[in-house]
Amino acid sequence: MEKELGHSILIVDDVPENVELLKYLLNSEGFRTFTAFSAEEARLILVNTPIDTLLLDVNMPVQDGFSFCRELRLMDKFKLLPILFITSIDRDAGFEEAMKNGGDDFINKPFNKRELVAKIHSVVRIKDLQDELSREKAKYEKELATARKVQDQLIPEKKFIWNGIKAQTLFHPFFQIGGDFVDCWVDSKQLHIVIADCSGHGPSAALIGAMFKMQLFNLDPTMNLKERVAHIRKNMEIVIPEDYSITFCYAMIDHDNLLTFINGGHPAPLLHMNGVTRALEGRSPMIMGIDLQAKDDVQTLQLTKGAKVFLYTDGASEAMNSKSVFLGEEGMLSLFHESVISGEDVLPAIQQRILNFCGETPPNDDMAMVCIQL
């Protein structure tokens, strides 16, 4: 009974007798073979046909095997293609040249059939694993893209005016989805501003961020700020793992422009008012997967016309430039001040200044911001 042909092997050699011998041996072992007598012919086959392994002679006219191998390794499609050199060059010198030029192995002529078949099976098995990883990666990236669409609905960027106050948010995950959270909304009495940052990145952090939002919208409207934070703490400490944590800042502004906030281990809110830019003091513990019996201190400040309040996650302050220098909280204070003084739209201006600071090294953490302008 004839064997079912499996993995595809491209044989490249300018000597027809060598090609036919390899073709016969490999077909008898169940491989599907393609043949080429030059690098040019091989190039055409590789572009148009899925190949699992390339058997490549070194000494060929026009373009030798080493040069052809180097060419292939410069192309993304062929970076992981198994390439085995088959040649009569001295084993020690030939093996060194094969590795130097991107080859995966080296077989001397005349070759041993068992050795040849064993090495092909070995590299094909590795390629199968790499292909499986690539398929899983593509599947994972597709699922992440879907999750990002869901997260965009959960954390939409907002821009609105209430009681003469302009509120604007920005949300930019480093991965397709992230663990930052930011939101603004109003009820009959006040403007609510919440920003949070779950430790970690990716799907797990995003799920914790979604749970955080669920807690926000399950709050009793009659609760004051301290009661709201206590409720969120209690419920989040139950569900988040011990190795995770959440920093947050929950702020409220009433009709008389009185600002109250609780900062749970988050970067300090920044304020520009009456020509002065400063960080607002007062910090309570972050939320962790253990019962801290935290005491949340409510901070209060009367805002005046023209005041601007800015909150951000540490993905902004931990941005790094090409010299491995962090922007830091002092740097964020400076960027906020510069953006306010320039008269620019604050959030886009700060984001651009962060990118300018990083230069060719993009920020490597999730980033969320909110700006309130009276």
Side-chain angles (χ1 to χ4, degrees), residues 224-259:
N224 61 34
L225 176 60
K226 197 165 187 176
E227 292 169 336
R228 287 169 176 267
V229 171
H231 180 87
I232 294 170
R233 276 191 183 280
K234 177 182 175 181
N235 288 283
M236 290 305 299
E237 285 171 357
I238 293 172
V239 297
I240 66 173
E242 289 188 8
D243 54 342
Y244 279 80
S245 61
I246 301 173
T247 66
F248 70 94
C249 187
Y250 195 140
M252 298 163 68
I253 303 176
D254 66 15
H255 282 276
D256 297 322
N257 296 337
L258 181 68
L259 169 70

Side-chain angles (χ1 to χ4, degrees), residues 203-220:
S204 58
L207 285 172
I208 294 173
M211 288 190 288
F212 184 88
K213 177 166 184 174
M214 289 173 61
Q215 295 303 321
L216 284 175
F217 286 89
N218 285 331
L219 294 172
D220 186 331

Side-chain angles (χ1 to χ4, degrees), residues 14 72 81 101 121 143 149 159 162 178 195 262 313 332 360:
D14 63 323
L72 293 177
L81 174 67
N101 287 280
H121 278 300
E143 291 175 350
K149 291 179 181 178
K159 188 175 184 178
W162 172 82
I195 192 165
I262 293 176
T313 55
M332 287 300 299
E360 297 181 358

Side-chain angles (χ1 to χ4, degrees), residues 122-259:
S122 177
V123 295
V124 163
R125 183 166 57 251
I126 293 172
K127 184 176 186 298
D128 285 345
L129 291 173
Q130 291 169 337
D131 290 345
E132 179 63 24
L133 286 174
S134 295
R135 287 190 292 270
E136 289 298 318
K137 181 175 181 289
K139 180 181 177 182
Y140 178 68
E141 289 176 344
K142 183 178 179 181
E143 291 175 350
L144 278 182
T146 302
R148 175 61 197 271
K149 291 179 181 178
V150 174
Q151 190 173 49
D152 284 342
Q153 296 299 315
L154 286 172
I155 314 176
E157 293 188 350
K158 292 184 176 180
K159 188 175 184 178
F160 63 87
I161 296 176
W162 172 82
N163 194 39
I165 300 173
K166 178 182 175 183
Q168 186 176 2
T169 67
L170 180 148
F171 178 59
H172 181 76
F174 171 59
F175 292 101
Q176 286 184 304
I177 55 176
D180 284 9
F181 175 87
V182 62
D183 200 5
C184 289
W185 71 95
V186 296
D187 58 25
S188 59
K189 298 180 179 180
Q190 51 216 340
L191 169 66
H192 297 255
I193 308 110
V194 178
I195 192 165
D197 184 2
C198 175
S199 58
H201 308 282
S204 58
L207 285 172
I208 294 173
M211 288 190 288
F212 184 88
K213 177 166 184 174
M214 289 173 61
Q215 295 303 321
L216 284 175
F217 286 89
N218 285 331
L219 294 172
D220 186 331
T222 64
M223 288 179 171
N224 61 34
L225 176 60
K226 197 165 187 176
E227 292 169 336
R228 287 169 176 267
V229 171
H231 180 87
I232 294 170
R233 276 191 183 280
K234 177 182 175 181
N235 288 283
M236 290 305 299
E237 285 171 357
I238 293 172
V239 297
I240 66 173
E242 289 188 8
D243 54 342
Y244 279 80
S245 61
I246 301 173
T247 66
F248 70 94
C249 187
Y250 195 140
M252 298 163 68
I253 303 176
D254 66 15
H255 282 276
D256 297 322
N257 296 337
L258 181 68
L259 169 70

Side-chain angles (χ1 to χ4, degrees), residues 293-344:
Q293 296 294 315
K295 179 182 177 182
D296 289 308
D297 295 322
V298 179
Q299 311 299 321
T300 304
L301 180 70
Q302 182 64 54
L303 301 177
T304 60
K305 189 67 177 176
K308 295 178 175 59
V309 180
F310 173 66
L311 297 91
Y312 61 93
T313 55
D314 63 11
S317 57
E318 292 178 359
M320 183 186 295
N321 65 15
S322 59
K323 297 179 181 178
S324 299
V325 176
F326 288 107
L327 180 56
E329 294 190 18
E330 286 298 321
M332 287 300 299
L333 183 66
S334 296
L335 292 193
F336 174 55
H337 181 76
E338 291 169 9
S339 300
V340 170
I341 298 302
S342 70
E344 300 171 87

Side-chain angles (χ1 to χ4, degrees), residues 14-35:
D14 63 323
V15 179
E17 292 80 5
N18 293 340
V19 171
E20 288 303 315
L21 174 60
L22 286 167
K23 180 178 178 181
Y24 172 77
L25 291 175
L26 295 177
N27 283 346
S28 67
E29 289 294 325
F31 294 107
R32 186 159 51 104
T33 57
F34 296 84
T35 60

Side-chain angles (χ1 to χ4, degrees), residues 267-282:
L270 304 181
L271 171 69
H272 180 85
M273 189 167 68
N274 301 325
V276 177
T277 304
R278 63 187 178 94
L280 298 179
E281 297 181 355

